[in-house]
Amino acid sequence: MFNDKLQIVTIKTVFKDNITVPPYQRPYRWTTDSAMTLFTDIYNACSSNAPEYRIGSVVLFRNSKNNTIDIVDGLQRLTTLTILMYCCLEKTQKLDDSSAIYPELLNAEMSELSSEAIINNYQILKRKINEFGESRLKDFKEYLLNKCTVVRIIANNEQEAFQFFDSQNSRGKALAPHDLLKSYHLREMRNDNETEKIRIINDWEATNQKELNRLFSEHLYPLVKWYKFQDGIDYSTKNIKTFKGIMLSNNYNFSVYNRAANLYIERFNHEGMYELASGHMINQFQLTQPIIAGKRFFEYTLHYLKLKNDVEQLIKDRYESDELIPEYGAGDRYVKQLFVNILVFCADRFNIVELTKARTDMMYRWAYTLRIVMKSVYRESVNRYAKGDSDRVKDGINMFSKISEMQDPSEMDAFILDKISIEELNKYKVNIDKYNNIINFIMK
């Protein structure tokens, strides 16, 4: 139905369309962070001479009554691109030049509720454009107009447009965050050979996709946030920036250092030099260090999936036979995830062989103290406890931050946790019989 109305077109073509914003459209609400992400992605694609940068799709309706093209889907992106183009024209003082590409959307009437977002994003995009010299601005503007593209769908009646929009967004299956990351990092592999890409994608696709989704939402996202005292819950497509990593075109000091370290370790392991030195392959990744975009993201993900599985097996071997890992409900599962995560963080910092029974027992006491001082444990309860912000445990600590500062695993051996009294358990009305094994283990 839409084949003849669906085209991949340049932003220059879209800007020439007589686009309007119908009254039913929601306000423009993109945050400055979203606007900067779009700008940065375009700028990086331009800097690396990518042949094309696709900015998604837009659904439009050809309104014959008004001789206009109404936006059905894509308002946020198109408005941001229009603001960006306006900043470019303003910088070159071509706002009144009839030969300049002047987005028709600039003439559209926007809701008053859109004003604040438009002003904020205009200010931050203008600031970035004003950093450009004449030559750089010319290259960026040309790339934006002629190399940035969208999938444009134009329907001849409103019902048809909304039908397509609904099929794409309501009945269609939304991409999971790790799927979006896969696409992003594949794009960063444009210079890698096809054999390497096929190998990496085969390994990725052979992995249980639900397990990958849980790895990011329940483990990796909290782990890279908690040690910095940041919230590690509610992972979604809005948070994937956390895992985009350092692009190969980024040449700042910190990025060059981290890329060089990764490259050196890869060669060290590949050439077998570890046999002359450490005797074993060197671990390439650290949760407290940035990811390198491209193929290393996929290797990073599979590395931590294996480490998480190894830790879960260690927990099963040491604690489940003694009924110390209950799973009565959601609260128990959240606490178990916390326990898994702190051990993964320790193993990542030092080595899994450093997870001695005494050290894992100490981490067990720390994690499961939360279980016995709360009648009901929620995700937010775990999140606050992990950040050292729980009102149920006196002298709360951020164990992740403490470990991130340790230079030797023996420092864990000198760590003393506050003890919980029977009086406190009674005060919090914990089901002592239900969690008797845990209470005895923690309080012995």
Side-chain angles (χ1 to χ4, degrees):
M1 178 169 62
F2 289 97
N3 290 345
D4 57 334
K5 303 154 193 173
L6 185 153
Q7 292 178 304
I8 297 173
V9 299
T10 64
I11 295 302
K12 181 177 181 178
T13 300
V14 175
F15 280 165
K16 290 180 177 180
D17 287 336
N18 186 20
I19 292 177
T20 63
V21 181
Y24 55 75
Q25 260 293 355
R26 60 177 180 164
Y28 174 66
R29 289 285 175 80
W30 254 24
T31 63
T32 54
D33 187 54
S34 296
M36 276 302 300
T37 297
L38 180 60
F39 168 83
T40 302
D41 287 348
I42 294 172
Y43 176 74
N44 288 332
C46 175
S47 299
S48 59
N49 294 315
E52 178 188 5
Y53 181 75
R54 186 74 53 78
I55 308 178
S57 62
V58 295
V59 180
L60 308 170
F61 157 53
R62 195 183 303 280
N63 191 331
S64 57
K65 292 181 181 178
N66 303 324
N67 195 29
T68 58
I69 298 178
D70 295 347
I71 298 177
V72 175
D73 183 42
L75 173 70
Q76 309 298 315
R77 276 164 293 156
L78 290 179
T79 304
T80 305
L81 290 167
T82 298
I83 296 170
L84 181 56
M85 191 62 197
Y86 180 88
C87 293
C88 292
L89 293 171
E90 189 178 43
K91 170 76 172 177
T92 54
Q93 299 181 330
K94 289 188 176 181
L95 292 174
D96 298 323
D97 186 346
S98 59
S99 65
I101 303 300
Y102 186 86
E104 288 295 324
L105 190 58
L106 283 171
N107 298 319
E109 291 186 16
M110 302 286 283
S111 163
E112 289 185 9
L113 298 174
S114 304
S115 299
E116 183 178 356
I118 290 173
I119 292 170
N120 289 342
N121 289 332
Y122 163 71
Q123 289 176 341
I124 62 120
L125 292 174
K126 178 181 179 180
R127 188 186 311 154
K128 296 304 294 183
I129 292 301
N130 282 343
E131 294 175 2
F132 291 179
E134 184 177 346
S135 175
R136 194 174 171 200
L137 176 59
K138 180 181 178 182
D139 291 343
F140 178 80
K141 188 171 69 171
E142 287 301 310
Y143 190 89
L144 172 63
L145 288 171
N146 299 308
K147 296 298 178 69
C148 291
T149 62
V150 295
V151 177
R152 185 184 64 177
I153 301 101
I154 301 182
N156 289 324
N157 67 73
E158 215 166 8
Q159 183 180 3
E160 190 180 54
F162 278 105
Q163 181 184 355
F164 185 82
F165 172 71
D166 181 60
S167 67
Q168 289 293 98
N169 294 278
S170 299
R171 292 193 296 271
K173 182 180 178 182
L175 287 175
H178 68 275
D179 289 322
L180 294 175
L181 285 168
K182 169 189 168 184
S183 298
Y184 174 84
H185 287 283
L186 274 176
R187 194 169 71 227
E188 285 302 300
M189 291 179 65
R190 63 177 68 91
N191 295 325
D192 290 80
N193 65 62
E194 290 303 313
T195 302
E196 182 75 351
K197 290 180 184 177
I198 292 170
R199 180 190 66 81
I200 286 173
I201 294 307
N202 284 343
D203 289 344
W204 179 272
E205 295 298 336
T207 306
N208 185 297
Q209 297 300 295
K210 289 183 179 179
E211 193 173 3
L212 280 179
N213 190 43
R214 288 194 297 270
L215 175 70
F216 281 97
S217 63
E218 297 175 4
H219 303 285
L220 290 180
Y221 186 66
L223 283 168
V224 300
K225 290 291 187 177
W226 282 340
Y227 82 94
K228 294 183 286 190
F229 296 88
Q230 297 175 1
D231 288 333
I233 55 176
D234 299 328
Y235 178 67
S236 69
T237 55
K238 296 179 181 179
N239 311 120
I240 63 172
K241 183 179 179 181
T242 303
F243 299 104
K244 284 190 172 182
I246 298 173
M247 300 179 69
L248 299 182
S249 59
N250 186 328
N251 288 315
Y252 298 119
N253 291 341
F254 84 97
S255 58
V256 172
Y257 172 83
N258 281 282
R259 292 210 315 272
N262 270 263
L263 184 59
Y264 174 79
I265 292 173
E266 284 175 358
R267 289 185 176 176
F268 186 91
N269 289 333
H270 179 70
E271 295 174 9
M273 294 168 63
Y274 62 88
E275 295 179 5
L276 301 175
S278 60
H280 55 82
M281 296 180 71
I282 296 177
N283 176 31
Q284 184 176 346
F285 308 108
Q286 282 280 284
L287 290 164
T288 54
Q289 299 300 315
I291 303 169
I292 307 299
K295 69 174 184 179
R296 293 176 183 87
F297 162 78
F298 298 99
E299 294 165 354
Y300 168 98
T301 302
L302 297 179
H303 165 79
Y304 282 109
L305 179 60
K306 181 180 184 306
L307 180 58
K308 189 265 299 183
N309 290 340
D310 289 345
V311 165
E312 288 181 333
Q313 185 60 50
L314 181 149
I315 290 172
K316 182 177 181 180
D317 294 342
R318 289 184 181 173
Y319 299 97
E320 288 194 359
S321 60
D322 295 325
E323 299 181 357
L324 292 172
I325 309 293
E327 295 199 28
Y328 295 115
D332 296 332
R333 291 193 293 273
Y334 299 151
V335 174
K336 181 181 178 182
Q337 287 168 16
L338 178 65
F339 184 37
V340 170
N341 284 343
I342 194 61
L343 294 188
V344 167
F345 200 74
C346 291
D348 179 67
R349 178 73 177 175
F350 301 112
N351 196 310
I352 196 166
V353 299
E354 297 298 337
L355 294 181
T356 63
K357 182 64 163 60
R359 289 168 186 163
T360 59
D361 282 355
M362 188 270 288
M363 295 302 173
Y364 177 92
R365 290 186 175 92
W366 172 77
Y368 275 86
T369 290
L370 181 66
R371 174 65 280 182
I372 66 172
V373 299
M374 298 195 74
K375 188 173 183 179
S376 298
V377 177
Y378 303 99
R379 289 189 188 276
E380 181 55 37
S381 313
V382 173
N383 186 57
R384 292 185 60 193
Y385 185 67
K387 296 190 299 177
D389 187 30
S390 175
D391 56 3
R392 287 296 178 90
V393 180
K394 57 186 178 181
D395 302 324
I397 58 169
N398 184 326
M399 187 66 78
F400 295 91
S401 178
K402 291 285 185 185
I403 291 170
S404 73
E405 296 170 357
M406 291 180 181
Q407 302 299 312
D408 191 283
S410 63
E411 294 179 54
M412 287 187 281
D413 303 336
F415 210 87
I416 298 176
L417 299 172
D418 290 322
K419 296 219 171 176
I420 304 297
S421 66
I422 291 293
E423 290 72 26
E424 287 175 296
L425 296 181
N426 291 330
K427 173 185 174 183
Y428 295 134
K429 298 180 181 179
V430 174
N431 189 330
I432 295 179
D433 292 334
K434 187 176 182 181
Y435 297 109
N436 184 59
N437 289 348
I438 297 176
I439 293 169
N440 288 338
F441 187 89
I442 288 176
M443 299 180 68
K444 67 181 179 182

